[in-house]
C-alpha cells in the first residue's frame, strides 16, 4: 500500500447520503429471511450497488496495467469487487481484501453468503492468493466500528476504493 500511495494518484471526495430507504429495505428483507438464518448487512447492499454501477461504467471497472515506462488502464469484462476484511490480533491484525467475482450477476443473499465465508476463512485459516486476486474495485467499510469517516488507500491494481463510514441518524 505504500507503493500505491506514492505511485497511484489519490484524491478523496466525501459525500453524505440518506440511508433511510436502504436501512428500511434491509430491515424488511432481514425480517423475511430470518427463518432461513440469513442476515444481510449494509455492506452487502453496497457491494451490489457498486457492482451494478461498475457494469454500466467500464472506466471504473478497470485496473492499472502496463509497465512503469508505459502505464495503461485495462478495461475489464468481469466485475470483481474486493471487500476489505479485518483480521484479529492473533492472526496479525490488519486487513486483507477478498474478491467477490462477477458481483454484478449476484443477488444480495449470495453476496452475503460469500462475504461471510471469506471473512470466516480469512480470520481462521487465511485467504489464498486466488481468494484475493483480480478485484477491480474495493469497498472498505468501518461503519460497524463507529467510524464516521476515513481515507482509504487504493488496493493495486484497482483504480478506486470506496471508504464507508457509519450510518448516523441526524435531524
Amino acid at each position: 500500500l505504500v507503493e500505491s500511495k506514492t505511485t497511484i494518484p489519490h484524491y478523496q471526495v466525501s459525500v453524505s447520503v440518506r440511508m433511510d430507504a436502504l436501512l428500511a429495505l434491509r430491515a424488511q428483507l432481514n425480517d423475511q429471511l430470518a427463518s432461513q438464518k440469513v442476515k444481510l448487512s449494509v455492506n452487502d447492499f453496497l457491494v451490489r450497488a457498486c457492482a451494478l454501477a461498475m457494469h454500466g461504467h467500464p472506466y471504473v471497472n478497470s485496473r492499472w496495467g502496463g509497465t512503469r515506462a508505459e502505464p495503461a488502464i485495462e478495461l475489464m469484462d468481469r466485475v470483481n469487487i474486493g471487500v476489505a476484511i479485518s483480521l484479529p490480533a492473533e492472526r496479525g491484525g490488519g486487513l486483507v481484501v477478498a474478491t467477490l467475482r462477477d458481483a454484478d450477476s449476484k443477488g444480495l443473499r449470495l453476496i452475503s453468503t460469500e462475504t461471510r465465508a471469506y471473512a470466516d476463512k480469512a480470520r481462521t485459516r487465511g485467504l489464498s492468493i486466488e481468494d484475493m486476486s483480480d478485484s477491480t474495485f474495493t469497498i472498505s467499510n468501518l461503519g460497524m466500528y463507529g467510524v464516521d469517516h476515513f481515507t482509504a488507500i487504493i488496493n493495486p491494481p484497482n483504480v478506486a476504493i470506496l471508504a464507508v463510514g457509519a450510518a448516523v441518524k441526524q435531524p
Side-chain angles (χ1 to χ4, degrees):
L1 290 180
V2 169
E3 181 180 353
S4 169
K5 192 66 175 165
T6 58
T7 63
I8 297 174
H10 280 67
Y11 67 92
Q12 291 76 38
V13 177
S14 296
V15 177
S16 295
V17 297
R18 291 192 66 150
M19 295 289 290
D20 301 356
L22 186 145
L23 294 175
L25 176 60
R26 176 180 176 249
Q28 177 187 353
L29 292 175
N30 280 339
D31 285 345
Q32 294 171 1
L33 296 169
S35 65
Q36 300 170 40
K37 296 186 178 18
V38 174
K39 185 174 181 187
L40 302 173
S41 70
V42 169
N43 215 56
D44 299 330
F45 285 85
L46 296 174
V47 168
R48 179 78 174 134
C50 288
L52 292 175
M54 290 170 58
H55 183 83
H57 298 278
Y59 283 100
V60 179
N61 188 42
S62 61
R63 67 179 177 196
W64 296 108
T67 65
R68 282 190 184 261
E70 293 188 40
I73 296 176
E74 301 171 12
L75 301 181
M76 308 306 292
D77 293 327
R78 298 174 71 187
V79 176
N80 298 333
I81 303 279
V83 178
I85 300 168
S86 64
L87 298 177
E90 57 271 11
R91 294 227 19 108
L95 296 172
V96 292
V97 176
T99 302
L100 299 174
R101 287 176 173 67
D102 301 309
D104 58 325
S105 65
K106 295 178 179 173
L108 288 167
R109 286 173 55 161
L110 186 53
I111 289 169
S112 179
T113 300
E114 287 187 11
T115 302
R116 289 179 195 280
Y118 276 133
D120 180 60
K121 184 177 180 185
R123 292 175 181 141
T124 57
R125 306 182 305 278
L127 297 175
S128 69
I129 297 298
E130 174 73 15
D131 295 335
M132 297 184 288
S133 64
D134 300 326
S135 67
T136 54
F137 181 88
T138 299
I139 298 173
S140 184
N141 185 344
L142 294 177
M144 69 284 284
Y145 300 111
V147 175
D148 293 329
H149 177 271
F150 68 103
T151 302
I153 299 172
I154 296 171
N155 183 34
N158 296 184
V159 296
I161 188 166
L162 176 64
V164 180
V168 180
K169 288 187 178 188
Q170 295 183 25

